[in-house]
Amino acid sequence: MKSMHSIDINTVEMTLDIMKYAINRISNTEPELGAPKKEEDLLKIVGETVTKEGIGGENAFHLFKDVLAKATVPVDHPRHLAFVPAAPTRAAILFDLVTSAASIHGAYWMTGGGGIFCENQAMKWLVSLTGLPDGAFGVFTSGGTSANLSAMTAAREAWRDKNEENKAFKALLITSSGAHSSVKSMAKVIDADIILIDDDEEDRLTGKWLQKAIDDLSEIDRKRLFAVVATGGTTNAGIIDELDTVAEICKKEELWFHVDAAYGGGALAAPSVRHLFKGIEKADSITIDPHKWMFSPYDCGAVIYKDLELAKNAHSQKGSYLDIFKDEGAQGFNPADYQIQLTRRLRGLPLWFSLAMHGTEKYTEAIERGLFLAQSAAKKIEAIDHLELVREPSLSCVLFRRKGWSPDDYRDWTYANHKSGLALVTPTKWTKYGESETISRFCFINPDTTEEDIDNILASMK
Ligand SMILES: *Cc1c(COP(=O)(O)O)cnc(C)c1O
């Protein structure tokens, strides 16, 4: 009897169909800007797909390709400028297929050695961009959220280990109001309280404001405080906190200094803005998402530590069947020891292949292109009477307003452009001195976005 794992003519045909689809999709630089449908409407079209006998590969694939994939918005579309879009390189996507096919368990060197070697080569480059001292290293995670969680857990454990008394306290961390939502939600996961401090005039967290916040703490809260999370490129506006002065205060106050550069981290490879990150080299840990501005497919985040041992203390899993990994020959770098996940995909492998193929200079070029597009968009906005910059662009984010528009106008404009297939540009909120305003926002990642694309989108804001 034929089993699920046997290979016959049908599986060969299906393989070819799927590879053909993958090749077409990978080479398509302007995929249709699909739109989501309601779940019940999708169900009406495709019916139940998981049944006792199965609906057949051809049928399932057809439903995916012709119906379901079209109910998604491709993030690599050159005029998808909403949220933080993505633009994985073709090399990286192809190697994502290889990563699946190679069936490598990426938790331990014993089984994943050669693949982990590749990941570590890519990681070496990431670490070199940060300027952290020798000995610093990191691992690839499922994204910025799990990287932040891994770092915050390491920080909390290091703080508890420092002083027996700390074990009795609920931990407390400080971050800024511009910090990503994942910092706030991961604080819940580690059961830590969080204080959001307001930024300065330039909407940044600075050492001065941090010191003031620490000085204002009650005696008990000061004892509970274990870490500061600064942002290296806020998701909404691309703002980089004043990392250098924040680092100084953290050192003086003996606090763990984490920099969340999930979105902005790519810009560490861009000489034109690298100086804005001054101080990141003093961090205890850093988050960078290669699936955002380093052209990796989903999902790929990274967490980097100044002192790997502190991460290991927090994350290394002990289990009797894991003891074998202590043997000679099986010894090497074990990614499972430095983040929250045990069994893991070698999610750094696509980044490695793309880096190895293209070289790091091509990365610098592609990231500089996003920065250029932001500057170019800003000039175009300033040249149009009814448009106005909300602030100068930071990194590749541009915040601007259409004078006289209400939140409903922004929403209707977004829907109309999405529907016509022109672009996906969503509104956002900008808060200054407690006043919140609905505005428009571009985030440039894709080097294939053209200046003409920007002109056309701005022209639609009549
Ligand atoms: C996107 C982002 C995150 C979350 O990363 P995921 O990969 O979506 O989990 C965290 N911090 C910042 C600053 C981000 O931009």
Side-chain angles (χ1 to χ4, degrees), residues 20-290:
K20 206 167 94 188
Y21 170 83
I23 291 166
N24 283 337
R25 179 62 184 86
I26 291 166
S27 32
N28 187 354
T29 52
E30 194 136 333
E32 212 177 303
L33 207 52
K37 280 189 166 67
K38 288 216 168 76
E39 187 170 10
E40 63 252 37
D41 294 339
L42 289 174
L43 188 61
K44 260 184 228 150
I45 305 172
V46 304
E48 289 297 346
T49 54
V50 175
T51 63
K52 253 188 179 164
E53 287 83 24
I55 62 169
E58 202 182 331
N59 191 12
F61 184 49
H62 160 80
L63 293 175
F64 175 77
K65 178 163 69 96
D66 297 336
V67 181
L68 301 169
K70 290 183 177 164
T72 65
V73 185
V75 285
D76 59 337
H77 190 288
R79 290 185 303 278
H80 183 326
L81 305 175
F83 320 115
V84 179
T89 65
R90 314 223 131 70
I93 300 172
L94 283 167
F95 227 70
D96 203 43
L97 303 179
V98 173
T99 303
S100 290
S103 279
I104 301 167
H105 191 290
Y108 290 104
W109 189 268
M110 181 189 177
T111 52
I116 296 166
F117 174 88
C118 299
E119 280 195 316
N120 286 357
Q121 290 266 294
M123 182 57 70
K124 209 161 109 184
W125 179 62
L126 288 189
V127 175
S128 76
L129 295 176
T130 66
L132 282 170
D134 284 352
F137 210 65
V139 282
F140 292 100
T141 64
S142 63
T145 303
S146 59
N148 283 340
L149 175 58
S150 298
M152 283 157 63
T153 305
R156 200 265 324 269
E157 289 302 292
W159 166 74
R160 286 214 169 129
D161 286 345
K162 229 173 6 189
N163 183 346
E164 197 58 32
E165 193 191 12
N166 292 345
K167 295 195 167 75
F169 297 127
K170 187 174 181 195
L172 171 69
L173 71 89
I174 288 184
T175 190
S176 72
S177 44
H180 188 262
S181 53
S182 65
V183 173
K184 298 155 207 169
S185 72
M186 291 308 103
K188 284 185 204 152
V189 174
I190 64 165
D191 193 28
D193 287 325
I194 192 161
I195 292 181
L196 296 182
I197 59 177
D198 279 333
D199 313 318
D200 72 348
E201 282 289 302
E202 293 166 55
D203 314 304
R204 293 183 308 171
L205 172 64
T206 60
K208 195 173 123 202
W209 284 81
L210 174 61
Q211 185 67 66
K212 188 172 164 317
I214 294 173
D215 292 346
D216 287 348
L217 292 175
S218 66
E219 194 179 330
I220 179 74
D221 280 352
R222 178 63 194 86
K223 283 185 172 170
R224 304 197 299 133
L225 182 65
F226 74 106
V228 173
V229 177
T231 309
T234 59
T235 321
N236 197 29
I239 296 166
I240 302 165
D241 288 336
E242 200 177 80
L243 303 178
D244 210 23
T245 57
V246 172
E248 255 170 57
I249 304 301
C250 287
K251 184 167 181 215
K252 177 169 140 265
E253 300 280 343
E254 294 182 31
L255 298 168
W256 185 287
F257 175 38
H258 178 66
V259 179
D260 179 5
Y263 150 64
L268 290 168
S272 69
V273 292
R274 178 58 181 84
H275 61 280
L276 301 174
F277 292 89
K278 188 167 176 284
I280 198 169
E281 70 284 354
K282 294 177 191 147
D284 292 293
S285 53
I286 300 170
T287 290
I288 300 175
D289 263 1

